[in-house]
């Protein structure tokens, strides 16, 4: 067994396996670092989006209350503000226009005759 470890081919094979093992460990470590950075970036994005959504929901609630109240007053209770004039426009439908007639296809010979004569 001792002579096998001192054989040049065995030493080269052991070194080759050790180098491949080291390269594999290094690549795994780099992938782990990149994954950690990506997770941190995604967590920051989630935090930012969560704060944006909560701010937008708050704005929506503030605006929705006054808008809804005014909509109910104007549309359902038919009330108006002082100095306003209400015009009621009747609903009407736009009549449909008939489709334009399509011209009959002409042969090239007929088109040439029209141009020449």
């Amino acid at each position: 067994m001792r002579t096998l470890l001192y054989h040049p081919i065995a030493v080269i094979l052991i070194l080759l396996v050790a180098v491949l093992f080291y390269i594999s460990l290094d690549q795994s470590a780099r992938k782990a670092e990149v994954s950690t950075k990506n997770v941190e970036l995604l967590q920051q994005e989630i935090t930012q989006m969560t704060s944006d959504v909560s701010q937008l929901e708050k704005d929506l609630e503030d605006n929705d209350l006054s808008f809804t109240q005014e909509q109910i007053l104007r549309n359902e209770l038919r009330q108006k503000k002082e100095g306003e004039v209400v015009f009621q426009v009747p609903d009407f439908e736009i009549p449909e226009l008939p489709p334009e007639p399509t011209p009959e296809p002409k042969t090239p010979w007929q088109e040439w005759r029209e141009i020449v004569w």
Side-chain angles (χ1 to χ4, degrees):
M1 182 77 169
R2 240 173 191 230
T3 58
L4 183 63
L5 291 177
Y6 292 113
H7 196 276
I9 293 177
V11 171
I12 290 173
L13 286 175
I14 291 171
L15 284 174
L16 183 64
V17 168
V19 168
L20 290 174
F21 185 69
Y22 175 77
I23 291 172
S24 174
L25 286 176
D26 188 46
Q27 287 179 348
S28 297
R30 286 183 186 169
K31 287 180 184 178
E33 288 175 6
V34 169
S35 296
T36 304
K37 288 180 184 177
N38 285 340
V39 166
E40 289 173 0
L41 289 173
L42 290 173
Q43 285 177 342
Q44 289 175 356
E45 274 186 51
I46 289 171
T47 305
Q48 179 66 30
M49 287 183 179
T50 304
S51 65
D52 290 347
V53 166
S54 63
Q55 180 64 34
L56 289 173
E57 285 176 346
K58 182 183 174 206
D59 291 346
L60 180 65
E61 287 176 8
D62 293 344
N63 292 335
D64 194 37
L65 288 176
S66 62
F67 180 74
T68 304
Q69 289 173 351
E70 186 171 342
Q71 186 178 18
I72 290 171
L73 287 173
R74 290 177 175 271
N75 296 340
E76 295 176 13
L77 302 176
R78 303 281 188 238
Q79 293 183 358
K80 60 181 183 173
K81 291 182 180 178
E82 281 187 42
E84 283 186 337
V85 178
V86 178
F87 292 101
Q88 291 185 343
V89 180
D91 293 337
F92 64 94
E93 294 182 15
I94 299 174
E96 290 187 22
L97 298 175
E100 293 184 20
T102 56
E104 292 182 20
K106 296 180 182 178
T107 63
W109 177 252
Q110 290 173 335
E111 290 178 8
W112 180 80
R113 286 186 70 192
E114 288 178 6
I115 294 172
V116 173
W117 290 343

